[in-house]
PDB file of all heavy atoms in Angstrom:
ATOM      1  N   ARG A   1      16.893  14.106  -4.277  1.00 98.00           N
ATOM      2  CA  ARG A   1      16.899  13.083  -3.230  1.00 98.00           C
ATOM      3  C   ARG A   1      15.481  12.301  -3.349  1.00 98.00           C
ATOM      4  O   ARG A   1      14.565  12.930  -3.158  1.00 98.00           O
ATOM      5  CB  ARG A   1      17.085  13.721  -1.848  1.00 98.00           C
ATOM      6  CG  ARG A   1      18.427  14.414  -1.723  1.00 98.00           C
ATOM      7  CD  ARG A   1      18.352  15.330  -0.448  1.00 98.00           C
ATOM      8  NE  ARG A   1      17.349  16.353  -0.546  1.00 98.00           N
ATOM      9  CZ  ARG A   1      16.858  17.039   0.534  1.00 98.00           C
ATOM     10  NH1 ARG A   1      17.442  16.916   1.705  1.00 98.00           N
ATOM     11  NH2 ARG A   1      15.943  17.970   0.331  1.00 98.00           N
ATOM     12  N   VAL A   2      15.586  11.053  -3.585  1.00 98.00           N
ATOM     13  CA  VAL A   2      14.490  10.297  -3.933  1.00 98.00           C
ATOM     14  C   VAL A   2      14.301   9.047  -2.904  1.00 98.00           C
ATOM     15  O   VAL A   2      15.206   8.440  -2.615  1.00 98.00           O
ATOM     16  CB  VAL A   2      14.451   9.753  -5.397  1.00 98.00           C
ATOM     17  CG1 VAL A   2      13.227   8.918  -5.721  1.00 98.00           C
ATOM     18  CG2 VAL A   2      14.577  10.969  -6.293  1.00 98.00           C
ATOM     19  N   ALA A   3      13.059   8.888  -2.539  1.00 98.00           N
ATOM     20  CA  ALA A   3      12.766   7.640  -1.691  1.00 98.00           C
ATOM     21  C   ALA A   3      11.828   6.715  -2.390  1.00 98.00           C
ATOM     22  O   ALA A   3      10.793   7.218  -3.051  1.00 98.00           O
ATOM     23  CB  ALA A   3      12.195   8.011  -0.335  1.00 98.00           C
ATOM     24  N   ASP A   4      11.943   5.430  -2.266  1.00 97.00           N
ATOM     25  CA  ASP A   4      10.957   4.425  -2.709  1.00 97.00           C
ATOM     26  C   ASP A   4      10.524   3.640  -1.466  1.00 97.00           C
ATOM     27  O   ASP A   4      11.243   2.925  -0.844  1.00 97.00           O
ATOM     28  CB  ASP A   4      11.623   3.427  -3.732  1.00 97.00           C
ATOM     29  CG  ASP A   4      10.682   2.338  -4.208  1.00 97.00           C
ATOM     30  OD1 ASP A   4       9.540   2.347  -3.809  1.00 97.00           O
ATOM     31  OD2 ASP A   4      11.162   1.502  -4.991  1.00 97.00           O
ATOM     32  N   LEU A   5       9.286   3.993  -1.085  1.00 96.00           N
ATOM     33  CA  LEU A   5       8.756   3.344   0.143  1.00 96.00           C
ATOM     34  C   LEU A   5       8.030   2.045  -0.170  1.00 96.00           C
ATOM     35  O   LEU A   5       7.166   2.058  -1.033  1.00 96.00           O
ATOM     36  CB  LEU A   5       7.717   4.404   0.775  1.00 96.00           C
ATOM     37  CG  LEU A   5       8.226   5.758   1.069  1.00 96.00           C
ATOM     38  CD1 LEU A   5       7.211   6.607   1.806  1.00 96.00           C
ATOM     39  CD2 LEU A   5       9.611   5.759   1.898  1.00 96.00           C
ATOM     40  N   GLY A   6       8.445   1.000   0.430  1.00 92.00           N
ATOM     41  CA  GLY A   6       7.977  -0.407   0.171  1.00 92.00           C
ATOM     42  C   GLY A   6       8.669  -0.721  -1.192  1.00 92.00           C
ATOM     43  O   GLY A   6       7.994  -1.098  -2.173  1.00 92.00           O
ATOM     44  N   CYS A   7       9.936  -0.664  -1.179  1.00 93.00           N
ATOM     45  CA  CYS A   7      10.636  -0.796  -2.484  1.00 93.00           C
ATOM     46  C   CYS A   7      10.733  -2.148  -3.054  1.00 93.00           C
ATOM     47  O   CYS A   7      11.128  -2.287  -4.275  1.00 93.00           O
ATOM     48  CB  CYS A   7      12.122  -0.292  -2.285  1.00 93.00           C
ATOM     49  SG  CYS A   7      13.120  -1.289  -1.166  1.00 93.00           S
ATOM     50  N   GLY A   8      10.386  -3.138  -2.324  1.00 90.00           N
ATOM     51  CA  GLY A   8      10.332  -4.551  -2.848  1.00 90.00           C
ATOM     52  C   GLY A   8      11.816  -4.875  -3.376  1.00 90.00           C
ATOM     53  O   GLY A   8      12.820  -4.625  -2.697  1.00 90.00           O
ATOM     54  N   THR A   9      11.842  -5.436  -4.595  1.00 92.00           N
ATOM     55  CA  THR A   9      13.193  -5.725  -5.112  1.00 92.00           C
ATOM     56  C   THR A   9      13.883  -4.543  -5.778  1.00 92.00           C
ATOM     57  O   THR A   9      14.969  -4.719  -6.451  1.00 92.00           O
ATOM     58  CB  THR A   9      13.130  -6.981  -6.067  1.00 92.00           C
ATOM     59  OG1 THR A   9      12.224  -6.676  -7.163  1.00 92.00           O
ATOM     60  CG2 THR A   9      12.612  -8.168  -5.359  1.00 92.00           C
ATOM     61  N   GLY A  10      13.275  -3.354  -5.743  1.00 94.00           N
ATOM     62  CA  GLY A  10      13.969  -2.131  -6.004  1.00 94.00           C
ATOM     63  C   GLY A  10      13.829  -1.611  -7.426  1.00 94.00           C
ATOM     64  O   GLY A  10      14.586  -0.685  -7.840  1.00 94.00           O
ATOM     65  N   ILE A  11      12.788  -1.985  -8.181  1.00 95.00           N
ATOM     66  CA  ILE A  11      12.666  -1.522  -9.594  1.00 95.00           C
ATOM     67  C   ILE A  11      12.510  -0.055  -9.716  1.00 95.00           C
ATOM     68  O   ILE A  11      13.238   0.584 -10.574  1.00 95.00           O
ATOM     69  CB  ILE A  11      11.448  -2.307 -10.254  1.00 95.00           C
ATOM     70  CG1 ILE A  11      11.526  -2.051 -11.704  1.00 95.00           C
ATOM     71  CG2 ILE A  11      10.115  -1.872  -9.640  1.00 95.00           C
ATOM     72  CD1 ILE A  11      10.603  -2.917 -12.550  1.00 95.00           C
ATOM     73  N   LEU A  12      11.726   0.596  -8.837  1.00 97.00           N
ATOM     74  CA  LEU A  12      11.616   2.134  -8.940  1.00 97.00           C
ATOM     75  C   LEU A  12      12.867   2.831  -8.429  1.00 97.00           C
ATOM     76  O   LEU A  12      13.255   3.839  -8.943  1.00 97.00           O
ATOM     77  CB  LEU A  12      10.329   2.513  -8.161  1.00 97.00           C
ATOM     78  CG  LEU A  12       9.009   2.168  -8.806  1.00 97.00           C
ATOM     79  CD1 LEU A  12       7.839   2.456  -7.827  1.00 97.00           C
ATOM     80  CD2 LEU A  12       8.848   2.629 -10.243  1.00 97.00           C
ATOM     81  N   ALA A  13      13.385   2.321  -7.372  1.00 97.00           N
ATOM     82  CA  ALA A  13      14.577   2.826  -6.715  1.00 97.00           C
ATOM     83  C   ALA A  13      15.802   2.851  -7.702  1.00 97.00           C
ATOM     84  O   ALA A  13      16.426   3.846  -7.948  1.00 97.00           O
ATOM     85  CB  ALA A  13      14.986   2.241  -5.483  1.00 97.00           C
ATOM     86  N   ILE A  14      15.888   1.661  -8.367  1.00 97.00           N
ATOM     87  CA  ILE A  14      16.995   1.478  -9.338  1.00 97.00           C
ATOM     88  C   ILE A  14      16.834   2.350 -10.513  1.00 97.00           C
ATOM     89  O   ILE A  14      17.677   3.022 -11.017  1.00 97.00           O
ATOM     90  CB  ILE A  14      17.105  -0.020  -9.732  1.00 97.00           C
ATOM     91  CG1 ILE A  14      17.650  -0.773  -8.534  1.00 97.00           C
ATOM     92  CG2 ILE A  14      17.954  -0.187 -10.924  1.00 97.00           C
ATOM     93  CD1 ILE A  14      17.377  -2.327  -8.666  1.00 97.00           C
ATOM     94  N   GLY A  15      15.611   2.421 -10.976  1.00 97.00           N
ATOM     95  CA  GLY A  15      15.298   3.325 -12.175  1.00 97.00           C
ATOM     96  C   GLY A  15      15.497   4.773 -11.883  1.00 97.00           C
ATOM     97  O   GLY A  15      15.933   5.510 -12.725  1.00 97.00           O
ATOM     98  N   ALA A  16      15.137   5.224 -10.635  1.00 98.00           N
ATOM     99  CA  ALA A  16      15.337   6.605 -10.244  1.00 98.00           C
ATOM    100  C   ALA A  16      16.883   6.965 -10.299  1.00 98.00           C
ATOM    101  O   ALA A  16      17.275   7.969 -10.743  1.00 98.00           O
ATOM    102  CB  ALA A  16      14.730   6.848  -8.936  1.00 98.00           C
ATOM    103  N   LYS A  17      17.745   6.029  -9.809  1.00 98.00           N
ATOM    104  CA  LYS A  17      19.182   6.289  -9.795  1.00 98.00           C
ATOM    105  C   LYS A  17      19.691   6.349 -11.149  1.00 98.00           C
ATOM    106  O   LYS A  17      20.559   7.192 -11.527  1.00 98.00           O
ATOM    107  CB  LYS A  17      19.839   5.191  -8.943  1.00 98.00           C
ATOM    108  CG  LYS A  17      21.314   5.490  -8.683  1.00 98.00           C
ATOM    109  CD  LYS A  17      21.519   6.640  -7.845  1.00 98.00           C
ATOM    110  CE  LYS A  17      22.893   7.015  -7.533  1.00 98.00           C
ATOM    111  NZ  LYS A  17      23.132   8.161  -6.705  1.00 98.00           N
ATOM    112  N   LEU A  18      19.190   5.455 -12.030  1.00 97.00           N
ATOM    113  CA  LEU A  18      19.697   5.378 -13.398  1.00 97.00           C
ATOM    114  C   LEU A  18      19.358   6.685 -14.165  1.00 97.00           C
ATOM    115  O   LEU A  18      19.991   7.104 -15.063  1.00 97.00           O
ATOM    116  CB  LEU A  18      19.042   4.183 -14.175  1.00 97.00           C
ATOM    117  CG  LEU A  18      19.669   2.793 -13.814  1.00 97.00           C
ATOM    118  CD1 LEU A  18      18.844   1.704 -14.351  1.00 97.00           C
ATOM    119  CD2 LEU A  18      21.051   2.676 -14.243  1.00 97.00           C
ATOM    120  N   LEU A  19      18.260   7.360 -13.707  1.00 97.00           N
ATOM    121  CA  LEU A  19      17.788   8.597 -14.387  1.00 97.00           C
ATOM    122  C   LEU A  19      18.308   9.792 -13.669  1.00 97.00           C
ATOM    123  O   LEU A  19      17.895  10.909 -13.933  1.00 97.00           O
ATOM    124  CB  LEU A  19      16.327   8.639 -14.429  1.00 97.00           C
ATOM    125  CG  LEU A  19      15.601   7.765 -15.434  1.00 97.00           C
ATOM    126  CD1 LEU A  19      14.122   7.803 -15.430  1.00 97.00           C
ATOM    127  CD2 LEU A  19      16.171   7.918 -16.809  1.00 97.00           C
ATOM    128  N   GLY A  20      19.350   9.576 -12.803  1.00 96.00           N
ATOM    129  CA  GLY A  20      20.164  10.771 -12.317  1.00 96.00           C
ATOM    130  C   GLY A  20      19.794  11.290 -10.962  1.00 96.00           C
ATOM    131  O   GLY A  20      20.224  12.467 -10.673  1.00 96.00           O
ATOM    132  N   ALA A  21      19.038  10.552 -10.149  1.00 98.00           N
ATOM    133  CA  ALA A  21      18.777  11.053  -8.832  1.00 98.00           C
ATOM    134  C   ALA A  21      20.094  11.107  -8.016  1.00 98.00           C
ATOM    135  O   ALA A  21      20.944  10.207  -8.184  1.00 98.00           O
ATOM    136  CB  ALA A  21      17.801  10.077  -8.106  1.00 98.00           C
ATOM    137  N   SER A  22      20.267  12.171  -7.297  1.00 97.00           N
ATOM    138  CA  SER A  22      21.517  12.294  -6.595  1.00 97.00           C
ATOM    139  C   SER A  22      21.646  11.310  -5.378  1.00 97.00           C
ATOM    140  O   SER A  22      22.756  10.975  -5.032  1.00 97.00           O
ATOM    141  CB  SER A  22      21.680  13.716  -6.001  1.00 97.00           C
ATOM    142  OG  SER A  22      20.570  14.183  -5.137  1.00 97.00           O
ATOM    143  N   GLU A  23      20.514  11.010  -4.740  1.00 97.00           N
ATOM    144  CA  GLU A  23      20.478  10.051  -3.571  1.00 97.00           C
ATOM    145  C   GLU A  23      19.228   9.354  -3.730  1.00 97.00           C
ATOM    146  O   GLU A  23      18.099   9.901  -3.980  1.00 97.00           O
ATOM    147  CB  GLU A  23      20.539  10.967  -2.369  1.00 97.00           C
ATOM    148  CG  GLU A  23      20.441  10.028  -1.065  1.00 97.00           C
ATOM    149  CD  GLU A  23      20.302  10.921   0.244  1.00 97.00           C
ATOM    150  OE1 GLU A  23      20.557  12.075   0.112  1.00 97.00           O
ATOM    151  OE2 GLU A  23      19.982  10.310   1.256  1.00 97.00           O
ATOM    152  N   VAL A  24      19.296   7.994  -3.445  1.00 98.00           N
ATOM    153  CA  VAL A  24      18.107   7.207  -3.513  1.00 98.00           C
ATOM    154  C   VAL A  24      18.129   6.360  -2.309  1.00 98.00           C
ATOM    155  O   VAL A  24      19.114   5.634  -1.959  1.00 98.00           O
ATOM    156  CB  VAL A  24      18.022   6.280  -4.801  1.00 98.00           C
ATOM    157  CG1 VAL A  24      16.826   5.345  -4.775  1.00 98.00           C
ATOM    158  CG2 VAL A  24      17.981   7.120  -6.077  1.00 98.00           C
ATOM    159  N   VAL A  25      16.970   6.323  -1.509  1.00 97.00           N
ATOM    160  CA  VAL A  25      16.868   5.413  -0.421  1.00 97.00           C
ATOM    161  C   VAL A  25      15.577   4.639  -0.650  1.00 97.00           C
ATOM    162  O   VAL A  25      14.553   5.108  -1.059  1.00 97.00           O
ATOM    163  CB  VAL A  25      16.717   6.203   0.884  1.00 97.00           C
ATOM    164  CG1 VAL A  25      15.622   7.231   0.923  1.00 97.00           C
ATOM    165  CG2 VAL A  25      16.493   5.279   2.169  1.00 97.00           C
ATOM    166  N   GLY A  26      15.763   3.280  -0.410  1.00 97.00           N
ATOM    167  CA  GLY A  26      14.557   2.383  -0.418  1.00 97.00           C
ATOM    168  C   GLY A  26      14.385   1.719   0.845  1.00 97.00           C
ATOM    169  O   GLY A  26      15.298   1.295   1.558  1.00 97.00           O
ATOM    170  N   ILE A  27      13.095   1.500   1.241  1.00 96.00           N
ATOM    171  CA  ILE A  27      12.874   0.821   2.437  1.00 96.00           C
ATOM    172  C   ILE A  27      11.808  -0.296   2.325  1.00 96.00           C
ATOM    173  O   ILE A  27      10.818   0.079   1.598  1.00 96.00           O
ATOM    174  CB  ILE A  27      12.486   1.785   3.621  1.00 96.00           C
ATOM    175  CG1 ILE A  27      12.274   1.009   5.030  1.00 96.00           C
ATOM    176  CG2 ILE A  27      11.315   2.583   3.272  1.00 96.00           C
ATOM    177  CD1 ILE A  27      12.241   1.938   6.226  1.00 96.00           C
ATOM    178  N   ASP A  28      11.848  -1.332   2.853  1.00 93.00           N
ATOM    179  CA  ASP A  28      10.993  -2.478   2.786  1.00 93.00           C
ATOM    180  C   ASP A  28      11.075  -3.296   4.071  1.00 93.00           C
ATOM    181  O   ASP A  28      12.134  -3.460   4.665  1.00 93.00           O
ATOM    182  CB  ASP A  28      11.189  -3.361   1.605  1.00 93.00           C
ATOM    183  CG  ASP A  28       9.970  -4.135   1.149  1.00 93.00           C
ATOM    184  OD1 ASP A  28       9.683  -5.163   1.818  1.00 93.00           O
ATOM    185  OD2 ASP A  28       9.225  -3.741   0.201  1.00 93.00           O
ATOM    186  N   SER A  29       9.915  -3.810   4.498  1.00 89.00           N
ATOM    187  CA  SER A  29       9.906  -4.662   5.709  1.00 89.00           C
ATOM    188  C   SER A  29      10.376  -6.006   5.539  1.00 89.00           C
ATOM    189  O   SER A  29      10.670  -6.757   6.470  1.00 89.00           O
ATOM    190  CB  SER A  29       8.440  -4.706   6.210  1.00 89.00           C
ATOM    191  OG  SER A  29       7.575  -5.314   5.377  1.00 89.00           O
ATOM    192  N   ASP A  30      10.613  -6.429   4.240  1.00 90.00           N
ATOM    193  CA  ASP A  30      11.009  -7.851   3.973  1.00 90.00           C
ATOM    194  C   ASP A  30      12.467  -7.924   3.667  1.00 90.00           C
ATOM    195  O   ASP A  30      12.890  -7.421   2.623  1.00 90.00           O
ATOM    196  CB  ASP A  30      10.133  -8.383   2.716  1.00 90.00           C
ATOM    197  CG  ASP A  30      10.472  -9.753   2.420  1.00 90.00           C
ATOM    198  OD1 ASP A  30      10.790 -10.553   3.354  1.00 90.00           O
ATOM    199  OD2 ASP A  30      10.608 -10.088   1.285  1.00 90.00           O
ATOM    200  N   PRO A  31      13.275  -8.574   4.472  1.00 92.00           N
ATOM    201  CA  PRO A  31      14.692  -8.682   4.248  1.00 92.00           C
ATOM    202  C   PRO A  31      15.076  -9.334   2.865  1.00 92.00           C
ATOM    203  O   PRO A  31      16.053  -8.898   2.221  1.00 92.00           O
ATOM    204  CB  PRO A  31      15.200  -9.485   5.407  1.00 92.00           C
ATOM    205  CG  PRO A  31      14.145  -9.365   6.434  1.00 92.00           C
ATOM    206  CD  PRO A  31      12.872  -9.235   5.718  1.00 92.00           C
ATOM    207  N   LYS A  32      14.296 -10.342   2.433  1.00 90.00           N
ATOM    208  CA  LYS A  32      14.544 -11.026   1.204  1.00 90.00           C
ATOM    209  C   LYS A  32      14.454 -10.090   0.059  1.00 90.00           C
ATOM    210  O   LYS A  32      15.361 -10.062  -0.912  1.00 90.00           O
ATOM    211  CB  LYS A  32      13.634 -12.148   1.017  1.00 90.00           C
ATOM    212  CG  LYS A  32      13.947 -13.335   1.967  1.00 90.00           C
ATOM    213  CD  LYS A  32      13.025 -14.533   1.680  1.00 90.00           C
ATOM    214  CE  LYS A  32      13.250 -15.674   2.638  1.00 90.00           C
ATOM    215  NZ  LYS A  32      12.339 -16.775   2.388  1.00 90.00           N
ATOM    216  N   SER A  33      13.395  -9.279   0.007  1.00 89.00           N
ATOM    217  CA  SER A  33      13.285  -8.236  -0.996  1.00 89.00           C
ATOM    218  C   SER A  33      14.458  -7.268  -1.167  1.00 89.00           C
ATOM    219  O   SER A  33      15.007  -7.036  -2.166  1.00 89.00           O
ATOM    220  CB  SER A  33      11.947  -7.441  -0.847  1.00 89.00           C
ATOM    221  OG  SER A  33      10.792  -8.181  -1.049  1.00 89.00           O
ATOM    222  N   VAL A  34      14.778  -6.750   0.065  1.00 93.00           N
ATOM    223  CA  VAL A  34      15.889  -5.824   0.148  1.00 93.00           C
ATOM    224  C   VAL A  34      17.263  -6.405  -0.291  1.00 93.00           C
ATOM    225  O   VAL A  34      18.016  -5.777  -1.018  1.00 93.00           O
ATOM    226  CB  VAL A  34      15.954  -5.228   1.556  1.00 93.00           C
ATOM    227  CG1 VAL A  34      17.254  -4.362   1.639  1.00 93.00           C
ATOM    228  CG2 VAL A  34      14.762  -4.422   1.863  1.00 93.00           C
ATOM    229  N   GLU A  35      17.404  -7.686   0.018  1.00 94.00           N
ATOM    230  CA  GLU A  35      18.688  -8.289  -0.431  1.00 94.00           C
ATOM    231  C   GLU A  35      18.733  -8.491  -1.867  1.00 94.00           C
ATOM    232  O   GLU A  35      19.764  -8.250  -2.541  1.00 94.00           O
ATOM    233  CB  GLU A  35      18.799  -9.756   0.249  1.00 94.00           C
ATOM    234  CG  GLU A  35      20.073 -10.406  -0.037  1.00 94.00           C
ATOM    235  CD  GLU A  35      21.336  -9.661   0.338  1.00 94.00           C
ATOM    236  OE1 GLU A  35      21.259  -8.839   1.298  1.00 94.00           O
ATOM    237  OE2 GLU A  35      22.423  -9.837  -0.339  1.00 94.00           O
ATOM    238  N   VAL A  36      17.608  -8.843  -2.540  1.00 93.00           N
ATOM    239  CA  VAL A  36      17.587  -8.856  -4.003  1.00 93.00           C
ATOM    240  C   VAL A  36      17.918  -7.530  -4.601  1.00 93.00           C
ATOM    241  O   VAL A  36      18.702  -7.472  -5.510  1.00 93.00           O
ATOM    242  CB  VAL A  36      16.255  -9.325  -4.475  1.00 93.00           C
ATOM    243  CG1 VAL A  36      16.029  -9.189  -6.006  1.00 93.00           C
ATOM    244  CG2 VAL A  36      15.961 -10.755  -4.100  1.00 93.00           C
ATOM    245  N   ALA A  37      17.291  -6.481  -3.998  1.00 94.00           N
ATOM    246  CA  ALA A  37      17.610  -5.108  -4.518  1.00 94.00           C
ATOM    247  C   ALA A  37      19.022  -4.748  -4.307  1.00 94.00           C
ATOM    248  O   ALA A  37      19.696  -4.143  -5.258  1.00 94.00           O
ATOM    249  CB  ALA A  37      16.717  -4.119  -3.767  1.00 94.00           C
ATOM    250  N   ARG A  38      19.619  -5.109  -3.229  1.00 96.00           N
ATOM    251  CA  ARG A  38      21.046  -4.826  -2.918  1.00 96.00           C
ATOM    252  C   ARG A  38      21.939  -5.517  -3.922  1.00 96.00           C
ATOM    253  O   ARG A  38      22.849  -4.898  -4.487  1.00 96.00           O
ATOM    254  CB  ARG A  38      21.402  -5.185  -1.586  1.00 96.00           C
ATOM    255  CG  ARG A  38      20.863  -4.226  -0.490  1.00 96.00           C
ATOM    256  CD  ARG A  38      21.192  -4.848   0.949  1.00 96.00           C
ATOM    257  NE  ARG A  38      20.774  -3.951   1.975  1.00 96.00           N
ATOM    258  CZ  ARG A  38      20.577  -4.226   3.227  1.00 96.00           C
ATOM    259  NH1 ARG A  38      20.711  -5.499   3.633  1.00 96.00           N
ATOM    260  NH2 ARG A  38      20.174  -3.301   4.126  1.00 96.00           N
ATOM    261  N   GLN A  39      21.712  -6.782  -4.183  1.00 95.00           N
ATOM    262  CA  GLN A  39      22.529  -7.523  -5.144  1.00 95.00           C
ATOM    263  C   GLN A  39      22.401  -7.053  -6.489  1.00 95.00           C
ATOM    264  O   GLN A  39      23.467  -6.905  -7.228  1.00 95.00           O
ATOM    265  CB  GLN A  39      22.130  -9.077  -4.980  1.00 95.00           C
ATOM    266  CG  GLN A  39      22.501  -9.673  -3.663  1.00 95.00           C
ATOM    267  CD  GLN A  39      22.273 -11.210  -3.679  1.00 95.00           C
ATOM    268  OE1 GLN A  39      21.869 -11.772  -4.661  1.00 95.00           O
ATOM    269  NE2 GLN A  39      22.350 -11.797  -2.524  1.00 95.00           N
ATOM    270  N   PHE A  40      21.234  -6.713  -6.979  1.00 95.00           N
ATOM    271  CA  PHE A  40      21.076  -6.252  -8.321  1.00 95.00           C
ATOM    272  C   PHE A  40      21.713  -4.872  -8.485  1.00 95.00           C
ATOM    273  O   PHE A  40      22.390  -4.615  -9.493  1.00 95.00           O
ATOM    274  CB  PHE A  40      19.621  -6.236  -8.760  1.00 95.00           C
ATOM    275  CG  PHE A  40      19.399  -5.919 -10.107  1.00 95.00           C
ATOM    276  CD1 PHE A  40      19.525  -6.886 -11.116  1.00 95.00           C
ATOM    277  CD2 PHE A  40      19.081  -4.591 -10.614  1.00 95.00           C
ATOM    278  CE1 PHE A  40      19.373  -6.604 -12.551  1.00 95.00           C
ATOM    279  CE2 PHE A  40      19.010  -4.280 -11.987  1.00 95.00           C
ATOM    280  CZ  PHE A  40      19.111  -5.266 -12.915  1.00 95.00           C
ATOM    281  N   SER A  41      21.457  -3.860  -7.579  1.00 95.00           N
ATOM    282  CA  SER A  41      22.022  -2.608  -7.709  1.00 95.00           C
ATOM    283  C   SER A  41      23.454  -2.660  -7.662  1.00 95.00           C
ATOM    284  O   SER A  41      24.145  -1.880  -8.387  1.00 95.00           O
ATOM    285  CB  SER A  41      21.484  -1.644  -6.606  1.00 95.00           C
ATOM    286  OG  SER A  41      21.692  -2.137  -5.357  1.00 95.00           O
ATOM    287  N   ALA A  42      24.057  -3.576  -6.868  1.00 95.00           N
ATOM    288  CA  ALA A  42      25.567  -3.687  -6.744  1.00 95.00           C
ATOM    289  C   ALA A  42      26.058  -4.192  -8.117  1.00 95.00           C
ATOM    290  O   ALA A  42      27.187  -3.701  -8.621  1.00 95.00           O
ATOM    291  CB  ALA A  42      25.852  -4.626  -5.617  1.00 95.00           C
ATOM    292  N   SER A  43      25.342  -5.087  -8.793  1.00 95.00           N
ATOM    293  CA  SER A  43      25.869  -5.673  -9.966  1.00 95.00           C
ATOM    294  C   SER A  43      25.769  -4.669 -11.077  1.00 95.00           C
ATOM    295  O   SER A  43      26.559  -4.754 -12.085  1.00 95.00           O
ATOM    296  CB  SER A  43      24.967  -6.875 -10.367  1.00 95.00           C
ATOM    297  OG  SER A  43      23.589  -6.433 -10.814  1.00 95.00           O
ATOM    298  N   MET A  44      24.918  -3.593 -10.886  1.00 94.00           N
ATOM    299  CA  MET A  44      24.873  -2.445 -11.834  1.00 94.00           C
ATOM    300  C   MET A  44      25.856  -1.309 -11.515  1.00 94.00           C
ATOM    301  O   MET A  44      25.953  -0.354 -12.172  1.00 94.00           O
ATOM    302  CB  MET A  44      23.376  -1.898 -11.896  1.00 94.00           C
ATOM    303  CG  MET A  44      22.400  -2.844 -12.470  1.00 94.00           C
ATOM    304  SD  MET A  44      22.529  -3.072 -14.255  1.00 94.00           S
ATOM    305  CE  MET A  44      22.165  -1.471 -14.807  1.00 94.00           C
ATOM    306  N   GLY A  45      26.565  -1.492 -10.391  1.00 95.00           N
ATOM    307  CA  GLY A  45      27.415  -0.392  -9.898  1.00 95.00           C
ATOM    308  C   GLY A  45      26.669   0.797  -9.444  1.00 95.00           C
ATOM    309  O   GLY A  45      27.233   1.895  -9.460  1.00 95.00           O
ATOM    310  N   LEU A  46      25.510   0.617  -8.900  1.00 96.00           N
ATOM    311  CA  LEU A  46      24.698   1.694  -8.451  1.00 96.00           C
ATOM    312  C   LEU A  46      24.800   1.879  -6.853  1.00 96.00           C
ATOM    313  O   LEU A  46      24.726   0.807  -6.179  1.00 96.00           O
ATOM    314  CB  LEU A  46      23.246   1.686  -8.906  1.00 96.00           C
ATOM    315  CG  LEU A  46      23.007   1.599 -10.350  1.00 96.00           C
ATOM    316  CD1 LEU A  46      21.480   1.169 -10.609  1.00 96.00           C
ATOM    317  CD2 LEU A  46      23.415   2.743 -11.010  1.00 96.00           C
ATOM    318  N   GLU A  47      24.871   3.042  -6.412  1.00 94.00           N
ATOM    319  CA  GLU A  47      24.917   3.312  -4.956  1.00 94.00           C
ATOM    320  C   GLU A  47      23.591   3.793  -4.470  1.00 94.00           C
ATOM    321  O   GLU A  47      23.128   4.871  -4.792  1.00 94.00           O
ATOM    322  CB  GLU A  47      25.947   4.313  -4.545  1.00 94.00           C
ATOM    323  CG  GLU A  47      27.392   3.885  -4.847  1.00 94.00           C
ATOM    324  CD  GLU A  47      28.413   4.915  -4.317  1.00 94.00           C
ATOM    325  OE1 GLU A  47      27.985   5.848  -3.622  1.00 94.00           O
ATOM    326  OE2 GLU A  47      29.558   4.757  -4.709  1.00 94.00           O
TER     327      GLU A  47
END
C-alpha cells in the first residue's frame, strides 16, 4: 500500500502502480494537478 504525498500530476503514484503496488493513494492541494493525474491514470487503465 503506497502513498504519494504532494503527488502533483501523479508521476510517482502512477509509476508505483505500474510496478505492482496493491493500492496507491495520491494527495495534492491543487485540483488541477489531481485532475491531470486522474485523466492520465484513467487513460492507462490504472486504479
Side-chain angles (χ1 to χ4, degrees):
R1 299 166 299 167
V2 178
D4 179 2
L5 307 182
C7 65
T9 58
I11 191 168
L12 293 174
I14 289 163
K17 189 65 178 178
L18 288 168
L19 290 180
S22 61
E23 176 186 348
V24 177
V25 56
I27 183 169
D28 199 281
S29 62
D30 179 40
K32 291 182 180 179
S33 291
V34 174
E35 184 57 28
V36 170
R38 284 174 177 162
Q39 290 183 8
F40 186 83
S41 58
S43 74
M44 294 287 296
L46 301 175
E47 292 187 13

